[in-house]
Amino acid sequence: PNWDPRRLWMTQYQELDRVVRIAGQARDGEDVSEFLRRLSLSDFFYEVRLLPAQKTVDPVTHLELVRFEISAKVRY
């Protein structure tokens, strides 16, 4: 309940044949882990997997961020 979702930004959402890929950036790896956990607990997503992530520095804010990508299947 104490997680602040404003620490994570989705930059891309693609869906093809009920397989989704979500890309984004987060302040740190813990935020990515929490987002992954919440997707896994959702009734709408299953087989949620974190693809290789990397640390990067935002060119505008100069903040260190984690760029991530997640693959999952969706049901609706």
Side-chain angles (χ1 to χ4, degrees):
N2 295 332
W3 180 59
D4 184 359
R6 294 175 295 179
R7 293 177 48 94
L8 184 135
W9 308 270
M10 291 191 308
T11 57
Q12 188 175 25
Y13 183 95
Q14 295 178 318
E15 180 183 346
L16 180 63
D17 296 327
R18 296 190 185 222
V19 176
V20 298
R21 280 181 96 95
I22 302 170
Q25 295 180 343
R27 289 289 294 151
D28 59 31
E30 289 182 29
D31 291 317
V32 176
S33 294
E34 184 65 25
F35 182 56
L36 192 72
R37 185 178 77 80
R38 289 172 185 243
L39 283 178
S40 297
L41 292 173
S42 167
D43 291 333
F44 300 104
F45 296 94
Y46 63 101
E47 293 183 26
V48 179
R49 294 184 308 121
L50 178 63
L51 303 174
Q54 65 181 6
K55 286 189 176 183
T56 184
V57 175
D58 185 272
V60 176
T61 63
H62 305 289
L63 293 173
E64 189 173 281
L65 301 172
V66 176
R67 186 171 292 157
F68 67 90
E69 202 168 324
I70 294 172
S71 170
K73 292 185 179 175
V74 66
R75 63 170 75 94
Y76 41 75

